Amino acid sequence: MYYLKLVFKNIFRHKLRSLLTLLGLVVAILAFGLLQSVVNAWYAGSDMASARRLVARNAVSLVFPLPIYYRERIRAVDGVTAVGTSNWFGGIYRDMTPANFFAQFAVDHENFFDLYSEFRTRPEELLAWKKDRRGALVGRLLADQYGWRVGDVIPLKGTIYPGTWEFVVRGIYEPRDESTITRQLYFHWDLLNEEIKLKYPRRAEQVGVFVVGIADGSRAAEISQAIDREFRNSLAETLTETEKAFQLSFIAQTETIIAAVRIVSFVVIVIIFAVVANTMAMTARERLAEYATLKTIGFGPAFVGALIIGESLMITALGGAVGILATFPAAAAFKAAMGSFFPVFKVAPETVAMQVACALVVGLLAGLLPSIRAARVKIVDGLRYIG
Amino acid sequence: MSASPGAGTRPIVLITNLAKGYRRGDQHVPVLFDISLSIPEGDFIALMGPSGSGKSTLLNLIAGIDKPDSGELLVDGEDITRLSESELADWRASHVGFIFQFYNLMPVLDAFENVELPLLLTSLSRRERRERVDMALALVGLTDRRDHYPNELSGGQQQRVAIARAFIADPTIIVADEPTGDLDRKSAGEILALLRRLNEEMGKTIIMVTHDWHAVESARHVVHLEKGELVDDKKGADSFSASSATASGKGI
Ligand SMILES: Nc1ncnc2c1ncn2[C@@H]1O[C@H](COP(=O)(O)OP(=O)(O)OP(=O)(O)O)[C@@H](O)[C@H]1O
Ligand SMILES: [Mg+2]
């Protein structure tokens, strides 16, 4: 009891110093939590990928397309149930801020949505979209962000395919569950292809990737190899992998950025460790005479050491707790500011666990050296320090 | 044991051929040379001498917060030079009350809690502790200041709290290093009166380092230290013959 009382009262002896240290801790733990959540959000899309879908792309690079006529040959491969095509459109809506960024794909309207059962479409809307060459099918998240309704016209400024493209919203699909991200716009590949045919005939009749439906997820590797074998030594060889692997390879391109974010999140912790360690070293030094007095009275070195470790842990626990609590509203605000650039932006329980661990480790390590020093200092030397 | 309060005949502190030096770099600086001294139970000793003569060093050795290089140091029959660090800590808790020049109270604890500190190392119940602290605070005249913090007390009041803390656990000896060194005349007088009461009414053995001639008047005996050696005392040689003989064991 006395121990806790001493520890607790000691924390607030230098109010300004303690408050600044606490502020640093709150900011550091908060920043750590946010950065970790950014990393998680980055990977969130790949969690949604189905194991029953493969993606076939040009083996050289994703920027090279595949000829559309591959479709029939892929469909003929044993184990394949459906084949869809998809082109990344890359248009700009309103401006280039991350908040206004979303994915647009030109797909084969006839069977593309059969492959994506996680997108819940209304039959009449799906039909209307299939019938309208200029129609767009948009995700619920996207529609809500911009307040789009069926019938609205959406202008997109093409980057890969120049010009302004206008689409009419024909339907809004809903997510099957929480992990489904409904933040895309789909339109007819036929429309894209016709425009290209007029302007750049040599780029026509090509698709970005084939999305391949398979009945048995456990045969994914085998079927992928069979598809790639089919096109070996042809003009455009394919590289087929599961949709999840495809998504991850996409992320891998930005891996260095993610790695940097991850490193920064730990650098923040190292910095706050240095700050707390410095505070504790200063504090313990100033109180050497008090510790020596306690020892003179008969308290042991362990008690004195525990006073410092306890104080250090109590400060980091306090700062850590506030930091963790602040992470949730901060994450919500961050998500709002980013629009739905990160459709899944959550503070994961693992992130909170890491925040707790960081706070505890910082508290323990920062208090360790000053505590050992204070425990060891000879009484006669300690008494000479007049604080 | 002598029944009357005051100096008895049994030595409560018995020092034989004690020596102590400090290391400075790779040089050994001797501070105390071959000190021999016997302090009878119930005595009140004033330890005097010029600055740097080793008074604090000797006091620290007697209080068991520092270790000698050689020699014997018996307190209440026990040679404390043979105790380990942790044994010494336990020994101090039950045998020594220390009064510092600058009071050394815990700033975050109030007067009551400061006095209570040594009792936390005993097996006394919370209630017993409170009763004893209340009595001690009454004795030093600070009952109405029990929940004041050190920075809310005058120097003299702080030193009275420190005195209560020093005797609360009923130690064998009380040591004080210049207890009036930081106080004005009046406060110093109150502190000395308190120490005299502890000695006369409660029979406490007190060893006090001081530069203050008024303080010396409160003591029963004076021991002089010069350049690390004891010299003949100048006060009450008659009543102090037994220990002064030992004190001048080197035949000064
Ligand atoms: N920890 C130490 N390391 C080195 N030298 C020390 C140490 N403590 C004391 N000394 C030296 O020992 C000598 C005696 O010191 P001590 O403090 O015992 O003197 P003192 O008689 O109490 O003096 P004062 O009246 O000024 O308090 C001094 O020369 C001092 O410099
Ligand atoms: Mg001294």
Side-chain angles (χ1 to χ4, degrees):
Chain A
M1 276 308 95
Y2 245 82
Y3 166 74
L4 282 181
K5 187 183 221 163
L6 272 172
V7 167
F8 202 76
K9 285 187 164 181
N10 272 334
I11 290 184
F12 296 103
R13 273 169 75 172
H14 283 276
K15 286 206 176 58
L16 184 64
R17 184 196 295 171
S18 300
L19 283 178
L20 288 176
T21 307
L22 277 172
L23 181 72
L25 271 161
V26 169
V27 171
I29 295 291
L30 172 67
F32 178 83
L34 279 182
L35 292 174
Q36 287 293 323
S37 301
V38 166
V39 173
N40 290 342
W42 216 285
Y43 285 98
S46 68
D47 290 340
M48 176 185 148
S50 162
R52 305 242 306 262
R53 282 195 298 261
L54 307 178
V55 173
R57 61 172 170 100
N58 191 304
V60 178
S61 159
L62 199 59
V63 299
F64 295 108
L66 291 170
I68 184 75
Y69 67 82
Y70 276 20
R71 177 165 49 187
E72 303 314 317
R73 286 169 68 185
I74 293 174
R75 211 194 311 267
V77 171
D78 181 43
V80 172
T81 57
V83 181
T85 63
S86 176
N87 276 43
W88 176 261
F89 180 69
I92 297 167
Y93 181 65
R94 288 186 180 167
D95 55 40
M96 282 177 61
T97 56
N100 284 326
F101 168 84
F102 59 88
Q104 308 113 22
F105 299 98
V107 299
D108 59 322
H109 54 276
E110 279 310 332
N111 54 21
F112 189 83
F113 275 83
D114 299 341
L115 283 160
Y116 284 82
S117 59
E118 65 263 44
F119 294 151
R120 293 282 152 90
T121 51
R122 290 173 189 80
E124 67 280 9
E125 286 183 355
L126 186 62
L127 201 65
W129 175 64
K130 283 181 179 177
K131 281 185 182 158
D132 182 358
R133 265 176 18 97
R134 297 216 156 259
L137 209 52
V138 300
R140 168 56 63 197
L141 204 62
L142 201 55
D144 286 351
Q145 182 183 353
Y146 296 111
W148 291 338
R149 287 152 185 266
V150 172
D152 285 359
V153 175
I154 300 159
L156 293 180
K157 199 167 159 295
T159 53
I160 309 171
Y161 310 103
T164 297
W165 300 63
E166 289 192 336
F167 302 101
V168 183
V169 177
R170 287 298 167 211
I172 296 165
Y173 55 87
E174 309 289 337
R176 179 181 55 201
D177 55 47
E178 246 203 348
S179 73
T180 309
I181 300 166
T182 52
R183 200 167 183 277
Q184 311 82 353
L185 179 149
Y186 293 99
F187 64 92
H188 292 208
W189 178 81
D190 288 350
L191 174 75
L192 182 73
N193 195 43
E194 276 161 34
E195 298 276 333
I196 293 172
K197 221 183 270 177
L198 292 175
K199 291 180 186 158
Y200 322 95
R202 289 177 56 195
R203 281 171 67 187
E205 305 299 334
Q206 291 181 327
V207 297
V209 298
F210 290 102
V211 180
V212 182
I214 56 175
D216 182 358
S218 66
R219 288 183 62 200
E222 178 202 329
I223 297 171
S224 299
Q225 283 172 6
I227 294 173
D228 291 347
R229 214 177 305 125
E230 179 72 27
F231 302 104
R232 183 162 306 153
N233 297 325
S234 60
L235 213 55
E237 296 197 345
T238 59
L239 192 153
T240 310
E241 55 199 348
T242 61
E243 191 178 48
K244 170 129 188 162
F246 174 73
Q247 301 267 25
L248 286 175
S249 73
F250 229 125
I251 292 167
Q253 299 173 1
T254 50
E255 198 85 306
T256 33
I257 298 172
I258 288 299
V261 171
R262 221 190 273 271
I263 289 169
V264 167
S265 72
F266 285 103
V267 166
V268 168
I269 295 299
V270 171
I271 292 172
I272 195 61
F273 162 74
V275 170
V276 179
N278 180 51
T279 304
M280 288 320 297
M282 259 160 70
T283 300
R285 172 172 279 268
E286 283 168 4
R287 297 186 191 151
L288 277 182
E290 280 169 44
Y291 301 137
T293 306
L294 284 170
K295 285 192 199 174
T296 302
I297 291 173
F299 289 92
F303 180 84
V304 168
L307 276 182
I308 298 169
I309 292 259
E311 184 170 343
S312 175
L313 270 176
M314 188 112 69
I315 289 181
T316 54
L318 220 63
V322 176
I324 289 170
L325 287 181
T327 306
F328 293 92
F334 184 75
K335 187 180 173 181
M338 294 301 281
S340 27
F341 184 72
F342 291 121
V344 177
F345 192 87
K346 284 188 299 199
V347 184
E350 297 82 50
T351 301
V352 175
M354 280 171 88
Q355 287 175 302
V356 170
C358 283
L360 290 184
V361 169
V362 165
L364 217 56
L365 289 186
L368 198 61
L369 273 179
S371 138
I372 290 175
R373 185 174 128 84
R376 281 204 186 146
V377 78
K378 286 169 68 185
I379 296 177
V380 281
D381 294 334
L383 287 175
R384 286 165 174 264
Y385 281 88
I386 293 173
Chain B
M1 290 324 97
S2 168
S4 64
T9 47
R10 181 176 102 116
I12 198 82
V13 177
L14 188 62
I15 300 171
T16 330
N17 308 118
L18 202 66
K20 170 77 182 172
Y22 289 105
R23 295 206 69 81
R24 194 168 287 144
D26 38 40
Q27 222 180 331
H28 181 83
V29 185
V31 176
L32 294 176
F33 305 88
D34 199 26
I35 303 278
S36 292
L37 176 67
S38 163
I39 300 170
E41 188 171 18
D43 204 349
F44 187 166
I45 298 270
L47 187 54
M48 299 196 77
S51 184
S53 56
K55 305 180 296 294
S56 296
T57 303
L58 179 57
L59 197 74
N60 292 343
L61 291 175
I62 295 172
I65 60 172
D66 203 357
K67 287 210 157 197
D69 297 337
S70 63
E72 271 189 351
L73 206 170
L74 272 62
V75 179
D76 206 11
E78 188 172 12
D79 188 354
I80 62 167
T81 63
R82 294 175 196 277
L83 298 180
S84 71
E85 283 298 332
S86 68
E87 286 170 333
L88 257 183
D90 291 341
W91 177 83
R92 284 195 302 271
S94 53
H95 289 82
V96 186
F98 210 113
I99 301 166
F100 305 87
Q101 178 174 357
F102 299 106
Y103 334 124
N104 290 29
L105 300 176
M106 295 292 125
V108 293
L109 300 180
D110 63 25
F112 182 93
E113 292 163 335
N114 264 290
V115 176
E116 192 184 11
L117 266 182
L119 295 184
L120 299 176
L121 296 166
T122 67
S123 56
L124 292 181
S125 73
R126 202 187 164 86
R127 223 190 95 165
E128 289 168 317
R129 292 205 303 266
R130 207 188 57 217
E131 284 169 0
R132 278 176 79 159
V133 175
D134 282 340
M135 261 164 54
L137 282 174
L139 196 118
V140 298
L142 287 176
T143 301
D144 54 338
R145 297 293 158 100
R146 49 177 286 156
D147 48 11
H148 282 52
Y149 285 88
N151 62 2
E152 300 165 340
L153 297 170
S154 72
Q157 288 168 332
Q158 287 187 58
Q159 194 63 300
R160 273 143 71 192
V161 174
I163 289 173
R165 180 180 69 183
F167 72 75
I168 190 83
D170 197 21
T172 315
I173 53 174
I174 289 177
V175 299
D177 197 345
E178 303 190 38
T180 58
D182 196 44
L183 298 174
D184 59 59
R185 253 302 26 93
K186 183 169 165 293
S187 302
E190 288 168 6
I191 295 301
L192 290 169
L194 246 165
L195 290 177
R196 265 199 315 274
R197 276 186 68 192
L198 286 182
N199 176 249
E200 285 163 9
E201 294 172 22
M202 298 165 70
K204 290 282 157 215
T205 307
I206 299 175
I207 304 149
M208 171 178 70
V209 167
T210 188
H211 285 297
D212 178 356
W213 279 102
H214 293 273
V216 173
E217 278 162 21
S218 294
R220 292 172 192 266
H221 297 116
V222 182
V223 172
H224 279 273
L225 203 57
E226 241 162 67
K227 291 181 183 158
E229 288 179 292
L230 291 175
V231 295
D232 249 333
D233 62 286
K234 290 167 183 140
K235 181 194 173 188
D238 48 336
S239 63
F240 195 40
S241 49
S243 40
S244 70
T246 331
S248 50
K250 285 185 73 191
I252 298 167

